Amino acid sequence: MTKILFVGLGIMGFPIASHLLRKYKSISVFNRTIKKSEKFKKKFSDYKVNIFKELEHINEHFEFIISCVGNDKDLENIYFSKNGLSKNIRSGGYIIDHTTASQKKAISLSNRFIKKKSYFFDAPVSGGESGAQSGKLSIMVGGNKKKFKKIKTILDVYSKSSVYMGVSGNGQITKMVNQICITGLIQTLAEGINFGKKNGLELNSMLSAIGNGAAQSWQMDNRAETMWNNKFSFGFMNKLMVKDLKIIVEQSKIRNLDIPITKKILSKYILLLKNGHENLDTSSLIKLLN
């Protein structure tokens, strides 16, 4: 039996863990808010779900530990705090982390797990809540190349693509590229949608005309209509994008890289947060246009 511990049953973690449970029939879970763990167990009562209420109570040696939490600080707390999981990591164990975090933290965790003769993979995801629910996430992975095949069997359960990107930290760098590209696209899509609407175009005809050409994108296919109709209560939240873009800005400083458009769009997302829209989908950038 494959022994899996899943840490973090949030918007992304909950559906990811559910795919693993359906595949392997048994899973252990930990979430800081115990109600989420209880909700997960209740929803999948036909399967074996073992709930851990406190980190210090987790003393089993799991083959795979998979985490999907908030940020660098959360990762440090989960793995290397006084009661962190690193105490009971088995030799030869695999740690797969889907958190969007800094390259520095990914490298640090990997190096410390190497000393424990286990393997850490930074494996941030793209595809949003819908991708997690459908099991069609795109995953970018940094870590030990020889051991990647071992974790790919796990990743295939809930992804349409998992690509090895190189040494530890490269998964996070790839996610940064992903977010840079996405935010620029959302901003220009917002401007285009707003421009067409204010000039009297009909939505379906407009999308039919441009959606099969060079302007086509996932964002257009999945967000153009909701942007047009001012609906944003779903998807990837603005507050999470702000977190991701701040990580990117810090990385750009380390490498002395110029990312003027990304910085500009970060300022727009910060404005959305100040306006009380932290939980809206990132396509709500259109709300800032006249």
Side-chain angles (χ1 to χ4, degrees), residues 203-267:
L203 174 64
N204 291 330
S205 297
M206 182 181 74
L207 294 180
S208 178
I210 70 174
N212 294 315
Q216 187 276 335
S217 68
W218 185 95
Q219 293 291 336
M220 178 179 288
D221 292 346
N222 291 274
R223 296 290 181 261
E225 183 175 353
T226 51
M227 291 167 80
W228 183 281
N229 293 319
N230 199 39
K231 295 180 179 179
F232 311 107
S233 299
F234 54 85
F236 191 66
M237 293 183 287
N238 290 325
K239 63 182 179 181
L240 298 179
M241 183 60 83
V242 167
K243 183 208 75 170
D244 291 0
L245 294 182
K246 285 183 176 180
I247 291 173
I248 292 168
V249 169
E250 288 304 310
Q251 184 67 27
S252 73
K253 292 177 181 177
I254 292 172
R255 297 292 184 182
N256 194 29
L257 299 173
D258 193 17
I259 50 170
I261 294 175
T262 302
K263 290 179 179 178
K264 180 73 173 180
I265 298 173
L266 170 58
S267 69

Side-chain angles (χ1 to χ4, degrees), residues 92-288:
Y94 297 86
I95 303 93
I96 305 169
D97 178 51
H98 294 313
T99 308
T100 297
S102 68
Q103 181 194 41
K104 181 179 179 181
K105 179 56 65 177
I107 294 172
S108 173
L109 291 173
S110 178
N111 288 339
R112 283 182 279 176
F113 278 117
I114 287 173
K115 294 178 181 178
K116 293 182 172 292
K117 298 180 180 179
S118 53
Y119 307 97
F120 177 86
F121 294 87
D122 54 295
V125 302
S126 180
E129 184 180 359
S130 61
Q133 292 174 343
S134 64
K136 295 182 179 180
L137 291 169
S138 295
I139 308 176
M140 43 224 85
V141 185
N144 186 303
K145 185 176 183 178
K146 292 182 179 179
K147 298 297 181 179
F148 173 66
K149 289 183 179 180
K150 180 71 174 180
I151 71 161
K152 194 174 188 308
T153 301
I154 295 288
L155 301 181
D156 286 347
V157 175
Y158 48 90
S159 71
K160 64 179 180 181
S161 168
S162 57
V163 181
Y164 178 74
M165 296 305 303
V167 297
S168 294
N170 277 13
Q172 295 297 347
I173 294 295
T174 309
K175 179 61 182 289
M176 294 178 204
V177 173
N178 185 80
Q179 300 303 72
I180 290 170
C181 295
I182 285 175
T183 53
L185 198 158
I186 293 173
Q187 176 63 27
T188 54
L189 179 61
E191 292 178 13
I193 293 294
N194 185 65
F195 189 89
K197 188 174 187 178
K198 296 296 175 64
N199 278 284
L201 294 182
E202 192 275 325
L203 174 64
N204 291 330
S205 297
M206 182 181 74
L207 294 180
S208 178
I210 70 174
N212 294 315
Q216 187 276 335
S217 68
W218 185 95
Q219 293 291 336
M220 178 179 288
D221 292 346
N222 291 274
R223 296 290 181 261
E225 183 175 353
T226 51
M227 291 167 80
W228 183 281
N229 293 319
N230 199 39
K231 295 180 179 179
F232 311 107
S233 299
F234 54 85
F236 191 66
M237 293 183 287
N238 290 325
K239 63 182 179 181
L240 298 179
M241 183 60 83
V242 167
K243 183 208 75 170
D244 291 0
L245 294 182
K246 285 183 176 180
I247 291 173
I248 292 168
V249 169
E250 288 304 310
Q251 184 67 27
S252 73
K253 292 177 181 177
I254 292 172
R255 297 292 184 182
N256 194 29
L257 299 173
D258 193 17
I259 50 170
I261 294 175
T262 302
K263 290 179 179 178
K264 180 73 173 180
I265 298 173
L266 170 58
S267 69
K268 292 179 179 295
Y269 277 116
I270 290 174
L271 180 57
L272 284 172
L273 266 58
K274 289 180 178 179
N275 291 342
H277 303 313
E278 62 178 19
N279 294 325
L280 295 186
D281 180 72
T282 52
S283 59
S284 59
L285 275 178
I286 197 171
K287 293 176 73 68
L288 300 178

Side-chain angles (χ1 to χ4, degrees), residues 61-73:
H61 297 290
F62 293 94
E63 183 178 6
F64 297 94
I65 297 178
I66 305 171
S67 52
C68 188
V69 294
N71 51 41
D72 286 19
K73 185 178 180 180

